[in-house]
Amino acid sequence: MVAQVIDGKAFAANVRGQVGAHVAKLKEEQGITPGLAVVLVGEDPASQVYVRSKGKMTVEVGMNSYEHKLDVDTAEDVLLALIDKLNNDPAVHGILVQLPLPKHLNEDLVINSIDPAKDVDGFHISNVGLLGTGQKSMVPCTPLGCLMMLRDHHGSLSGLNAVVVGRSNIVGKPMAQLLLGDSCTVTIAHSRTKDLPDVVRAADIVVAAVGRPEMVPGDWIKEGATVIDVGINRIDAPEKGEGKTRLVGDVHYESAAAVAGAITPVPGGVGPMTIACLLANTLTACCRANGLAEPEGLTA
């Protein structure tokens, strides 16, 4: 068996196209333009690249992009004052504070200062609680992207056995909640799970989000299973030359692709979906704020 490759790059482009069409309709029919504010504290190179990409794609789908770049030594009260200002700005429908924050800032305090209705990352404790109890919430972008791809590939997920490898608040836990919401039987596994290979082998759906390069080999995968690889790990690549690196996922791609029914590649799988779902969340937040019907297929 050769696995079908789930092309996250193409899927994300389709999602952005849907968002763009809804934004154009909002502008024409309601005179409303969704706005996304991104706050970056410090000069982390990876974060800077990510924020630039978010800003570019926000504008491409017709939304307003507001970027706030603060010095690395910005005081906590200054950051909280900015968030309060954005919370009260009717032109801003989504707020994202880029993580990680400098060590002197309390991430939990900062995240929970964002208006939950504008929390397009879905990290606010209120959104976590709403998702966990099956209520309408803002859904974390990466798990939402995984869910969209799974729904597209399978149609109905009802009754399927799903194993999520990884228990982070950002991916593992919300991913499990979303799969439960679609009537999967869900196991959250992790590095300390006993008989982890056998647990994973029982799964129709494997979502690997543990942050360890190529931790899940092909002989852990049930024949025909769907594998969603959330991991993005940089490892040495001496075959490319001295000091060179390459990106790999949490799954050993070649061996897993030989037995799986479908698999996401790294790069080009889950990664592109994260920003696409951030835009979708901003659109959803805008519609909710204005009492308008939410766009179908762009949220959980």
Side-chain angles (χ1 to χ4, degrees):
M1 175 178 287
V2 178
Q4 175 187 341
V5 177
I6 299 175
D7 187 342
K9 192 172 181 181
F11 200 102
N14 179 265
V15 170
R16 293 196 306 273
Q18 291 179 61
V19 170
H22 281 289
V23 169
K25 188 177 178 182
L26 269 181
K27 288 180 176 179
E28 181 180 351
E29 296 182 1
Q30 305 291 336
I32 299 168
T33 302
L36 173 63
V38 178
V39 180
L40 174 63
V41 185
E43 299 179 354
D44 178 76
S47 293
Q48 286 183 321
V49 170
Y50 198 38
V51 166
R52 273 198 303 272
S53 182
K54 287 172 181 173
K56 180 173 178 284
M57 292 187 185
T58 301
V59 172
E60 284 178 356
V61 297
M63 295 183 183
N64 289 329
S65 175
Y66 307 103
E67 292 185 11
H68 298 269
K69 296 181 180 179
L70 306 179
D71 292 338
V72 68
D73 57 356
T74 295
E76 195 166 79
D77 60 345
V78 173
L79 175 56
L80 294 175
L82 171 60
I83 293 171
D84 184 61
K85 180 181 176 183
L86 297 173
N87 283 340
N88 290 289
D89 186 344
V92 174
H93 302 96
I95 302 170
L96 181 149
V97 177
Q98 183 65 40
L99 303 178
L101 289 172
K103 294 189 185 303
H104 70 282
L105 299 173
N106 183 329
E107 282 192 1
D108 289 338
L109 177 65
V110 170
I111 290 168
N112 289 321
S113 71
I114 298 170
D115 180 346
K118 296 187 178 188
D119 167 38
V120 286
D121 255 341
F123 295 162
H124 191 288
I125 191 64
S126 293
N127 283 318
V128 174
L130 290 167
L131 178 61
T133 51
Q135 300 180 68
K136 184 182 290 187
S137 68
M138 297 306 301
V139 181
C141 301
T142 299
L144 178 58
C146 296
L147 182 70
M148 285 182 179
M149 291 191 289
L150 285 167
R151 284 174 171 172
D152 180 73
H153 178 71
H154 284 278
S156 172
L157 304 182
S158 181
L160 295 179
N161 288 325
V163 171
V164 180
V165 187
R167 50 183 167 174
S168 73
N169 293 331
I170 292 174
V171 180
K173 292 175 184 176
M175 187 75 248
Q177 296 289 356
L178 289 172
L179 290 166
L180 279 172
D182 270 30
S183 298
C184 288
T185 300
V186 182
T187 300
I188 300 180
H190 44 81
S191 59
R192 297 188 182 183
T193 297
K194 290 183 178 179
D195 303 319
L196 180 58
D198 287 339
V199 171
V200 177
R201 281 190 201 104
D204 303 306
I205 295 169
V206 178
V207 181
V210 73
R212 295 191 180 186
E214 300 180 328
M215 174 181 166
V216 180
D219 64 5
W220 290 16
I221 304 299
K222 180 169 85 172
E223 186 173 347
T226 302
V227 178
I228 304 294
D229 191 350
V230 181
I232 301 177
N233 311 285
R234 192 169 290 280
I235 64 170
D236 292 335
E239 71 277 7
K240 290 185 175 182
E242 188 177 349
K244 298 293 184 180
T245 60
R246 62 188 177 94
L247 288 178
V248 298
D250 292 349
V251 176
H252 187 273
Y253 184 83
E254 289 76 13
S255 62
V259 294
I263 190 169
T264 59
V266 177
V270 174
M273 286 297 294
T274 299
I275 293 181
C277 288
L278 172 67
L279 301 175
N281 276 353
T282 304
L283 173 62
T284 296
C286 177
C287 290
R288 290 177 182 174
N290 288 280
L292 301 171
E294 297 174 24
E296 290 186 14
L298 293 178
T299 189

